[in-house]
Amino acid sequence: MDFEKLKSRLAGCYVTIPTPFEDSAGFPVNHQAIRTYVRFLIDNGLNTEYATLLAGGAAGDFSTMSFEERIGVGETVVDEARGRVPLAFGGQSTSTLELVRLAQAAQSMGFDFLQVSCPFYFTHTEADFEEFVMAAAKAAPRIGIIVYNTFWTSTSLSFGMIDRLARIENVVGLKWATPRTDAMEFEDVTSNFSRRFTIIDNNLFFPYSAMPSLGAQAFEVHLCNYWPEWGIKLIDEVKAENYPEIARMMVEEAMPFYKLWVEIEKGYTSGDGYLDKLCMELIGLPSSRCRPPTRDIRENYRARTLDMMRAAGVPRLVAN
């Protein structure tokens, strides 16, 4: 494994590809629609310079798919991407045995990275998680491990835990999110570890976290699934230090999407990827609901979502 090469490839927009399903019994995976998504993202600029695409992450409905379905999604993404953009594979699991199989499959399929989170449901210790990550790293030594701090579903990682994970050779990325407190945990880890890992900002602080004193190199972004140019422009504006335009983009274009997402999650259904897929449908891409238990939001929130997208100036809208 070429650590520096992998680390340098993990930069820019970190985009989870939603998994579309057929609107039929059992909601089978729609592989042709996945191909359409991948082509759309790459054709609109999310290439090696600007992005890494994640297959089978949370917004990709990993939690509702079988092991075989997750592998099938990964195979389709790799085949359609054809090396034009770095790829990560979602390795979230509650089982170390399954994680090892996912890691081996990701390496065999040709993924650059494997995303790993602390197992959910049980409150595992940090030492449990350290062994979990080490198992993945040993199973797939030729790909880079991205550690994802999903503190809202499982054990939150401390500064000391990040320091221990830094000793695992093929951990190349840290997808970093923290609760907001006066202790500034987000900044503490980012500023201290950005030379060791590629920091993927999962708090949407990128205009701030990309500053030299913090050093984040990538950010999780949902808007790119229906507006790839938005993420590309944000990266370019950050590099140009055009802070008035960055602030406008965040407030007028990003914030309305995330506010609507939170409103849906608090008042109607929970999960991930449901608003991405509705927005994708409204620009003419094939789409679907998420699998249950996440409920279908399309009928109840289509008009609100369309209004939000119009006000933000989203291109390619096809809905009336």
Side-chain angles (χ1 to χ4, degrees), residues 3-292:
F3 177 87
E4 290 302 328
K5 181 180 179 180
L6 272 177
K7 187 170 179 285
S8 69
R9 283 171 62 78
L10 185 59
C13 304
Y14 190 74
V15 182
T16 304
I17 304 167
T19 299
F21 303 102
E22 301 280 0
D23 283 317
S24 58
F27 306 104
V29 175
N30 185 340
H31 287 273
Q32 187 55 50
I34 294 172
R35 291 183 180 277
T36 301
Y37 290 178
V38 174
R39 288 196 301 271
F40 171 76
L41 296 172
I42 295 174
D43 289 349
N44 286 285
L46 293 183
N47 52 29
T48 299
E49 182 179 358
Y50 281 103
T52 297
L53 305 184
L54 170 65
D61 263 271
F62 85 87
S63 62
T64 68
M65 291 192 291
S66 68
F67 179 87
E68 290 74 21
E69 286 176 319
R70 293 172 74 174
I71 301 306
V73 167
E75 290 172 339
T76 299
V77 169
V78 169
D79 185 63
E80 191 62 41
R82 301 196 308 277
R84 292 173 290 171
V85 63
L87 297 175
F89 186 63
Q92 279 94 329
S93 177
T94 57
S95 162
T96 301
L97 297 178
E98 182 178 65
L99 173 65
V100 166
R101 293 176 66 205
L102 289 167
Q104 292 169 337
Q107 181 170 271
S108 176
M109 287 185 283
F111 278 88
D112 301 278
F113 308 102
L114 177 75
Q115 179 178 285
V116 180
S117 297
C118 191
F120 44 92
Y121 190 81
F122 292 112
T123 304
H124 286 280
T125 67
E126 289 191 336
D128 291 339
F129 184 50
E130 186 174 4
E131 288 193 0
F132 191 72
V133 175
M134 289 176 67
K138 183 178 179 181
R142 297 193 303 276
I143 64 176
I145 304 297
I146 299 168
V147 172
Y148 185 14
N149 186 34
T150 51
F151 66 86
W152 53 94
T153 66
S154 57
T155 301
S156 186
L157 305 181
S158 67
F159 186 102
M161 183 66 209
I162 302 301
D163 189 44
R164 292 196 296 277
L165 293 174
R167 302 167 197 171
I168 302 175
E169 183 178 0
N170 54 331
V171 175
V172 301
L174 176 63
K175 189 175 177 184
W176 188 235
T178 64
R180 196 66 185 159
T181 76
D182 291 340
M184 299 177 70
E185 291 92 340
F186 183 89
E187 292 87 346
D188 191 19
V189 165
T190 303
S191 62
N192 277 280
F193 291 99
S194 59
R195 286 173 295 279
R196 168 59 180 84
F197 306 112
T198 290
I199 303 291
I200 304 168
D201 181 338
N202 197 60
N203 277 9
L204 206 62
F205 291 160
F206 190 64
Y208 165 51
S209 63
M211 292 179 178
S213 60
L214 295 178
Q217 295 294 318
F219 67 106
E220 165 84 8
V221 55
H222 287 258
L223 278 74
C224 282
N225 276 313
Y226 62 92
W227 194 359
E229 300 90 347
W230 189 89
I232 293 167
K233 184 174 188 293
L234 182 65
I235 291 169
D236 289 344
E237 299 294 0
V238 167
K239 289 178 180 177
E241 301 181 1
N242 187 359
Y243 297 113
E245 176 61 8
I246 291 166
R248 187 202 65 78
M249 291 176 68
M250 297 298 289
V251 171
E252 296 181 9
E253 297 167 353
M255 188 167 66
F257 172 88
Y258 286 98
K259 287 185 72 173
L260 181 56
W261 182 6
V262 170
E263 178 185 327
I264 295 169
E265 189 165 82
K266 287 183 176 180
Y268 186 73
T269 195
S270 187
D272 204 343
Y274 46 81
L275 187 53
D276 300 53
K277 290 202 277 191
L278 175 53
C279 291
M280 293 163 79
E281 186 173 306
L282 293 174
I283 63 163
L285 292 171
S287 190
S288 76
R289 61 170 291 168
C290 293
R291 275 180 173 169

